[in-house]
Amino acid sequence: QLHLAESGGGLVQPGGSLRLSCAGSRSTLRDYAIGWFRQAPGKEREGVSCVASGEKTTYYADSVKGRFTISRDNAKNTVYLQMNSLKPGDAAVYYCAATDYWGGCSLGPDEYDYWGQGTQVTVSS
């Protein structure tokens, strides 16, 4: 069964940048739609970005559009989330997730079947 592992979180100042990685094992991430989600204490899990399997479609939440970029490196079986111009409101635990549904992707957490353990992003001066 597919296994996902996030890395790259840490402490960054407002306006700074961070790149998160989602590494797959046991299966090929190219066969899955991949989503990035985040959850802050006391708040609902929020869809941030996703990239489709079978298409080149990507989506971004309005709150991160123009600042975050999702990409694949199929040779490394890894999906990245490049985060620029970080704000205090971006602080959360970030998760990657996968679904084998073909034809698109969604920012809704309920659509995803496989989840990583998360990586903490802290934005503070």
Side-chain angles (χ1 to χ4, degrees), residues 36 103 110 118:
W36 281 99
D110 292 345

Side-chain angles (χ1 to χ4, degrees), residues 36-48 61 63 89-95 107-110 115:
W36 281 99
F37 300 84
R38 66 188 183 188
Q39 188 165 26
K43 297 184 179 179
E44 296 181 357
R45 188 163 297 189
E46 174 189 20
V48 176
S63 59
D90 296 319
V93 176
Y94 281 72
Y95 301 88
L107 297 182
D110 292 345
W115 291 82

Side-chain angles (χ1 to χ4, degrees), residues 50-69:
C50 67
V51 58
S53 175
E55 300 179 358
K56 298 181 179 180
T57 304
T58 61
Y59 289 102
Y60 297 91
D62 288 342
S63 59
V64 308
K65 195 171 298 181
R67 300 188 297 121
F68 290 11
T69 303

Side-chain angles (χ1 to χ4, degrees), residues 30-122:
R30 189 176 184 270
D31 298 330
Y32 296 84
I34 305 296
W36 281 99
F37 300 84
R38 66 188 183 188
Q39 188 165 26
K43 297 184 179 179
E44 296 181 357
R45 188 163 297 189
E46 174 189 20
V48 176
S49 183
C50 67
V51 58
S53 175
E55 300 179 358
K56 298 181 179 180
T57 304
T58 61
Y59 289 102
Y60 297 91
D62 288 342
S63 59
V64 308
K65 195 171 298 181
R67 300 188 297 121
F68 290 11
T69 303
I70 190 169
S71 63
R72 292 182 183 269
D73 187 336
N74 291 328
K76 296 181 179 179
N77 205 32
T78 299
V79 175
Y80 300 101
L81 184 68
Q82 178 67 46
M83 306 186 296
N84 298 327
S85 302
L86 283 162
K87 305 174 180 179
D90 296 319
V93 176
Y94 281 72
Y95 301 88
C96 67
T99 176
D100 60 8
Y101 178 82
W102 187 92
C105 72
S106 171
L107 297 182
D110 292 345
E111 301 297 324
Y112 292 82
D113 304 306
Y114 307 97
W115 291 82
Q117 291 299 122
T119 184
Q120 176 71 238
V121 172
T122 302

Side-chain angles (χ1 to χ4, degrees), residues 16-39:
S17 297
L18 213 56
R19 188 177 73 165
L20 306 183
S21 298
C22 177
S25 60
R26 302 183 182 180
S27 192
T28 301
L29 290 188
R30 189 176 184 270
D31 298 330
Y32 296 84
I34 305 296
W36 281 99
F37 300 84
R38 66 188 183 188
Q39 188 165 26

